[in-house]
Amino acid sequence: AAGVIQSPRHLIKEKRETATLKCYPIPRHDTVYWYQQGPGQDPQFLISFYEKMQSDKGSIPDRFSAQQFSDYHSELNMSSLELGDSALYFCASSGRQVVGTEAFFGQGTRLTVV
Amino acid sequence: GENVEQHPSTLSVQEGDSAVIKCTYSDSASNYFPWYKQELGKRPQLIIDIRSNVGEKKDQRIAVTLNKTAKHFSLHITETQPEDSAVYFCAASLPTDSWGKLQFGAGTQVVVTP
């Protein structure tokens, strides 16, 4: 079965650089969520989109932005990177209208800021 | 907002024994409680979930119980096996949120020794 696809899987950036993470949800899923997980921490909700509109916002820094496109894929844009942004970034998707409610996570992008 | 507490933070069990992880939540309006298993560096994987109109749910060796009055829910793993070793996260979601906007507990590192 198709799963949530994230790219890239690994990313190394220098401080003050920008990064773009991509997420392709499970087919027919209309909602995408972004989470940040630091080492030894639980996943922290950043932001979500439903039908291409921002549906909720969590602890997302102002330096980060995200959007969902017409094909339902989503991108998380991170600017002025800091060492503390080093973490695993997960995207999850769910289908409110069609295929059930639980959220399935992608394999994550490991971002390292040096 | 919702706050989820999880205990214990680490749990060591002998193979074949049972493991119990407990979580409490703060917002009585929360109505969806999933449990995720996460192996090192990998994605959180949904292993079982329960909604607030159900008191108990079982799936083979895994069961979850929910006490809405006390605002706590628990994960029970019976006949533990070495492959059960992982970090387990409980989570809660409010009905005003989509099912993927989750407040996680801090996680329990489960180690099953042969």
Side-chain angles (χ1 to χ4, degrees):
Chain A
V4 178
I5 305 297
Q6 290 187 246
S7 67
R9 294 291 309 280
H10 303 272
L11 192 57
I12 300 175
K13 290 286 185 177
E14 295 188 354
K15 284 193 304 183
R16 293 180 290 279
E17 284 192 317
T18 61
T20 296
L21 310 185
K22 296 184 178 182
C23 169
Y24 297 86
I26 292 172
R28 296 193 295 154
H29 278 194
D30 49 26
T31 308
V32 167
Y33 315 83
W34 286 97
Y35 283 84
Q36 178 191 57
Q37 187 176 28
Q41 305 292 314
D42 57 287
Q44 294 290 316
F45 171 75
L46 294 178
I47 195 167
S48 62
F49 292 86
Y50 169 62
E51 285 291 344
K52 293 152 280 184
M53 299 283 289
Q54 181 182 307
S55 55
D56 222 323
K57 201 170 182 180
S59 51
I60 185 169
D62 292 340
R63 299 177 289 108
F64 295 5
S65 65
Q67 57 184 322
Q68 186 179 32
F69 294 87
S70 58
D71 63 352
Y72 293 100
H73 95 271
S74 179
E75 295 184 3
L76 177 66
N77 299 292
M78 311 160 71
S79 63
S80 303
L81 287 170
E82 302 173 356
L83 295 177
D85 296 329
S86 296
L88 266 172
Y89 289 83
F90 289 104
C91 170
S93 73
S94 68
R96 294 191 193 191
Q97 303 298 334
V98 180
V99 296
T101 55
E102 54 267 32
F104 295 91
F105 282 76
Q107 293 180 303
T109 294
R110 181 173 294 282
L111 173 65
T112 303
V113 181
V114 297
Chain B
E2 176 64 279
N3 183 51
V4 178
E5 293 192 357
Q6 182 171 348
H7 300 281
S9 57
T10 59
L11 182 59
S12 293
V13 295
Q14 289 281 95
E15 181 178 0
D17 287 349
S18 295
V20 179
I21 304 170
K22 298 182 179 182
C23 289
T24 60
Y25 58 98
S26 60
D27 195 326
S28 57
S30 289
N31 66 344
Y32 176 61
F33 307 93
W35 286 87
Y36 286 86
K37 174 183 179 182
Q38 186 178 32
E39 297 175 0
L40 188 62
K42 297 192 175 180
R43 79 182 90 187
Q45 289 193 295
L46 180 71
I47 55 172
I48 195 167
D49 59 10
I50 191 167
R51 290 169 174 77
S52 60
N53 58 345
V54 175
E56 184 174 356
K57 185 176 178 181
K58 189 173 182 180
D59 183 4
Q60 299 184 338
R61 297 187 297 109
I62 295 173
V64 58
T65 59
L66 171 65
N67 183 327
K68 288 169 54 180
T69 304
K71 291 188 288 186
H72 68 70
F73 56 113
S74 301
L75 178 72
H76 304 253
I77 307 175
T78 59
E79 301 173 25
T80 54
Q81 302 167 4
E83 51 266 38
D84 294 329
S85 296
V87 177
Y88 290 79
F89 290 99
C90 63
S93 179
L94 291 165
T96 52
D97 299 328
S98 50
W99 297 115
K101 185 192 173 188
L102 301 167
Q103 179 65 49
F104 284 88
T108 297
Q109 175 75 61
V110 174
V111 177
V112 181
T113 52

